[in-house]
Amino acid sequence: MTDRQSPTVGRLASNVRSHAWAGILAITVSLSTVGCTNMPELSYEPVRMDVDPARDKAKEVSSRLLDMTGLKGKVTEPGPRIDRCEEYGDDLFSLHFPWAVYDISEDDVDRGMENLRKELVRNGWKITKDGKANSKAQQPEIFADNKAEQFAVHVQGLKRKDGDRRLAFTVVSACFRAESPEALKGQY
């Protein structure tokens, strides 16, 4: 079992309340202050990308993560949502994409997590935590980031008593720079 801190892949949305975000924030955010404004500064230069291509990239990254599990279950439908990175600039945004593969067996949960442990590293991801969740159920979880992709992921293997078995993913991005602040109006 590993539990290592990693260098930052980028700033993640600050308004998420789930345990997954707390863990991802703890391992991927690096902030500093600028001059007398006390405005935090990103530790990297945000890539210029419009919202639709950024959403497509989040879906592509998630699709590759699913392939890495080697599982053939059902996948939840909602797509990535946009979170503004306003504390760093009014034209910056990040993506938050929770999804799951479900309708799988207990053995599939274990096999999918084991496949991820191997395939994440082979595919340029750095596993920053691999162990049990800090919860009563202590389900297995993996945190990983990929600097080249500018994404981080939290995966939990869930085996609930009610028969619900799934791999739950939370995929998050670094901040991207939109064409303009107006390009982010009305985005969700």
Side-chain angles (χ1 to χ4, degrees), residues 9 47 57 123-125 145-151 176:
V9 295
V47 171
K57 183 173 181 176
N123 286 277
W125 292 79
D145 59 47
N146 187 317
K147 284 184 183 181
E149 296 283 356
Q150 296 191 329
F151 279 85
F176 294 113

Side-chain angles (χ1 to χ4, degrees), residues 4 18 26 34 62 75 89 99 106 114 118 132 150 160:
R4 296 174 278 152
S18 73
V34 178
S62 293
V75 179
W99 60 277
E106 272 193 47
E114 189 56 37
K118 294 174 192 169
K132 294 182 179 180
Q150 296 191 329
R160 297 191 172 129

Side-chain angles (χ1 to χ4, degrees), residues 3 17 28 32-33 40 53 90 94 97 109 118 130 159 163 179:
D3 191 1
R17 290 168 183 42
T28 62
S32 61
T33 24
D90 58 359
S94 64
F97 189 11
V109 171
K118 294 174 192 169
D130 182 357
K159 301 180 204 175
E179 179 180 331

Side-chain angles (χ1 to χ4, degrees), residues 30-186:
S30 174
L31 303 176
S32 61
T33 24
V34 178
C36 60
T37 64
N38 281 342
M39 178 180 231
E41 180 181 282
L42 292 170
S43 62
Y44 61 94
E45 183 62 34
V47 171
R48 164 74 176 84
M49 190 176 299
D50 290 326
V51 172
D52 288 337
R55 279 194 173 113
D56 290 344
K57 183 173 181 176
K59 290 174 186 177
E60 177 189 321
V61 167
S62 293
S63 179
R64 282 187 270 137
L65 289 167
L66 176 60
D67 290 345
M68 287 181 218
T69 68
L71 299 179
K72 302 289 183 208
K74 296 179 182 174
V75 179
T76 55
E77 291 297 324
R81 96 168 179 241
I82 299 300
D83 288 325
R84 301 287 295 266
C85 304
E86 292 175 303
E87 63 270 31
Y88 302 103
D90 58 359
D91 61 344
L92 298 176
F93 69 97
S94 64
L95 296 149
H96 174 229
F97 189 11
W99 60 277
V101 57
Y102 64 101
D103 200 17
I104 57 177
S105 70
E106 272 193 47
D107 288 341
D108 287 339
V109 171
D110 295 334
R111 185 169 50 87
M113 292 295 282
E114 189 56 37
N115 288 346
L116 277 172
R117 286 180 184 95
K118 294 174 192 169
E119 294 301 318
L120 283 167
V121 175
R122 286 186 193 145
N123 286 277
W125 292 79
K126 181 177 181 181
I127 295 176
T128 56
K129 182 180 181 203
D130 182 357
K132 294 182 179 180
N134 186 17
S135 65
K136 186 176 178 180
Q138 294 195 330
Q139 303 283 13
E141 69 180 354
I142 296 171
F143 289 90
D145 59 47
N146 187 317
K147 284 184 183 181
E149 296 283 356
Q150 296 191 329
F151 279 85
V153 66
H154 173 239
V155 186
Q156 245 187 332
L158 304 174
K159 301 180 204 175
R160 297 191 172 129
K161 291 179 183 179
D162 64 2
D164 181 16
R165 282 141 182 72
R166 63 181 58 214
L167 291 185
F169 291 77
T170 302
V171 177
V172 294
S173 77
C175 289
F176 294 113
R177 186 174 305 283
E179 179 180 331
S180 68
E182 290 74 35
L184 296 175
K185 288 187 178 167

